[in-house]
Amino acid sequence: MNYKKYLDTQIKKTESNLSSRLKNNDFDFFYNCIHEFIEDDKEEFVQAFTEFGMQFENKYNVSGIIQKIFYEKSESAIIQFVKDTNIENFKKLANSYYWLNLAFIKGLKNKQDVKGEFFQDTVFASFLAYCFYPQALQKTLNYLETEYEQSLKEESEKILPEKRKYDKYYGYADVFQLLKELLSKEENYPFNEMIDVPVESHYDFAIKNYLSQDISVVNEVLEKLAQFHINNPGESYLDTFNHDCWKSFPLEMISILICRKRQGLSNEGISHPLIQPYLSFIFEAESLPHDELTKKLEEKIID
């Protein structure tokens, strides 16, 4: 498989997404909202604008503002990291993804869904916390459980008839099963009662072999996950990789190496083109969050 072509395509899509996002959103306004939230506890925001000679208003809550900044920050960070691959830019990348965790955690506090995000987005945010932000892992998982329970309720009440069986969509039978497996190696994260369905064949192989001491087997695990990763169309909100940000930063593969190190296993000799740019940095990304604004936002949200 041509992984370089895949990554090059994703970067071009990310650049296009970012250009469109910057054109259609006032991020000065959004960042001012964050400062007002941190300094003055303001949580609801109104942005007035004129169109076709008429006055309109957009209303935002703080979780929605954080979410909007997450996309701008993550897309900018991906592009910057590819252009200049170093530890500082990797920290900025991990830092930018953390804003989605903060949006989820704040949303849970306020009993508000983060609109436009789905179960699998919370799964990937959980992978990020597992790898780099243990202080936010439990609270991210709390949001994940709440979203899952709400999905079950909506399905049973047929509020959203377009939803399909959980064993086929939303990453329930693959990516989430890997998350459950990794968390089973930690204490206090029992997910045994959540989504107990057959696992997709690539992920079944990965879950059974990711702790192998045979490096060739581990590399095969990564290849299986990579095949699933790039073959997932990501064209619908039902797809596992429903947002482009998950395609460029393969957290599910990185999480396996993090878990192996925590279990005292060697990662020497492990490599794959999809995660090669990150391998030199994933064990060096300490002192996160990376920047002062994110630190202040974390302190405000995570207590």
Side-chain angles (χ1 to χ4, degrees):
M1 293 189 178
N2 192 334
Y3 292 109
K4 183 180 185 305
K5 181 178 179 181
Y6 172 84
L7 290 172
D8 288 346
T9 299
Q10 293 310 315
I11 293 303
K12 288 179 181 178
K13 289 176 66 177
T14 300
E15 289 176 330
S16 176
N17 290 344
L18 179 61
S19 176
S20 177
R21 204 176 301 281
L22 293 174
K23 180 180 178 180
N24 295 312
N25 293 274
D26 184 354
F27 282 96
D28 288 338
F29 168 77
F30 294 143
Y31 277 101
N32 285 336
C33 293
I34 294 299
H35 288 292
E36 288 189 58
F37 166 63
I38 292 171
E39 296 167 8
D40 303 322
D41 295 320
K42 186 174 179 180
E43 300 215 4
E44 299 293 332
F45 305 92
V46 176
Q47 184 182 37
F49 65 98
T50 301
E51 194 169 279
F52 304 116
M54 294 183 288
Q55 191 79 10
F56 297 92
E57 289 183 346
N58 283 330
K59 296 181 179 180
Y60 303 98
N61 59 47
V62 68
S63 298
I65 294 288
I66 296 170
Q67 175 201 27
K68 283 185 171 293
I69 291 177
F70 153 69
Y71 281 105
E72 179 268 334
K73 284 178 73 70
S74 62
E75 288 164 358
S76 296
I78 290 167
I79 294 167
Q80 186 175 7
F81 179 77
V82 169
K83 291 180 178 178
D84 190 5
T85 304
N86 58 52
I87 183 61
E88 285 302 303
N89 283 339
F90 180 81
K91 287 182 179 181
K92 289 178 182 178
L93 179 61
N95 185 86
S96 67
Y97 275 71
Y98 187 45
W99 279 61
L100 187 59
N101 293 72
L102 296 176
F104 287 145
I105 295 167
K106 182 59 179 170
L108 184 61
K109 271 188 171 184
N110 291 8
K111 298 182 179 179
Q112 297 171 330
D113 289 337
V114 179
K115 303 299 182 183
E117 307 296 341
F118 300 93
F119 182 87
Q120 68 272 40
D121 302 307
T122 320
V123 170
F124 284 115
S126 299
F127 276 125
L128 180 82
Y130 172 82
C131 291
F132 306 114
Y133 293 95
Q135 68 271 29
L137 179 56
Q138 184 61 68
K139 292 182 184 295
T140 304
L141 294 174
N142 290 345
Y143 185 89
L144 182 152
E145 290 184 282
T146 301
E147 285 295 287
Y148 172 67
E149 291 168 2
Q150 181 63 25
S151 294
L152 288 181
K153 179 181 178 183
E154 291 173 347
E155 181 72 11
S156 65
E157 294 176 355
K158 299 187 184 302
I159 294 174
L160 297 178
E162 74 276 12
K163 286 191 175 182
R164 307 299 194 266
K165 292 180 179 179
Y166 295 136
D167 63 351
K168 189 175 181 183
Y169 293 100
Y170 287 93
Y172 285 2
D174 39 72
V175 180
F176 178 65
Q177 302 301 326
L178 177 61
L179 177 66
K180 286 204 316 183
E181 167 64 24
L182 298 182
L183 292 175
S184 74
K185 304 305 177 187
E186 311 276 343
E187 295 182 1
N188 303 321
Y189 298 120
F191 279 125
N192 294 333
E193 297 182 2
M194 285 181 66
I195 317 174
D196 187 14
V197 297
V199 183
E200 191 275 339
S201 60
H202 290 72
Y203 271 77
D204 183 58
F205 180 87
I207 289 170
K208 290 176 179 175
N209 293 284
Y210 75 104
L211 292 180
S212 173
Q213 296 192 36
D214 185 337
I215 297 303
S216 66
V217 172
V218 182
N219 280 326
E220 188 176 355
V221 165
L222 293 178
E223 174 61 20
K224 295 279 189 183
L225 296 187
Q227 289 174 12
F228 182 92
H229 188 109
I230 73 168
N231 286 329
N232 190 280
E235 296 171 350
S236 163
Y237 71 88
L238 292 169
D239 291 328
T240 302
F241 299 94
N242 61 323
H243 294 320
D244 287 337
C245 58
W246 309 128
K247 301 175 188 179
S248 302
F249 191 24
L251 283 163
E252 74 281 14
M253 297 173 68
I254 291 170
S255 296
I256 280 181
L257 303 189
I258 297 285
C259 183
R260 286 178 57 82
K261 182 178 180 181
R262 291 177 183 172
Q263 295 299 309
L265 295 171
S266 173
N267 287 318
E268 186 175 355
I270 292 176
S271 180
H272 192 278
L274 210 57
I275 59 170
Q276 190 62 40
Y278 307 104
L279 285 179
S280 300
F281 312 117
I282 59 176
F283 302 117
E284 299 179 29
E286 300 174 350
S287 303
L288 296 173
H290 181 72
D291 66 64
E292 289 303 316
L293 180 59
T294 308
K295 289 178 183 177
K296 290 179 181 179
L297 188 60
E298 180 190 59
E299 289 171 2
K300 189 77 174 180
I301 292 175
I302 298 183
D303 46 30

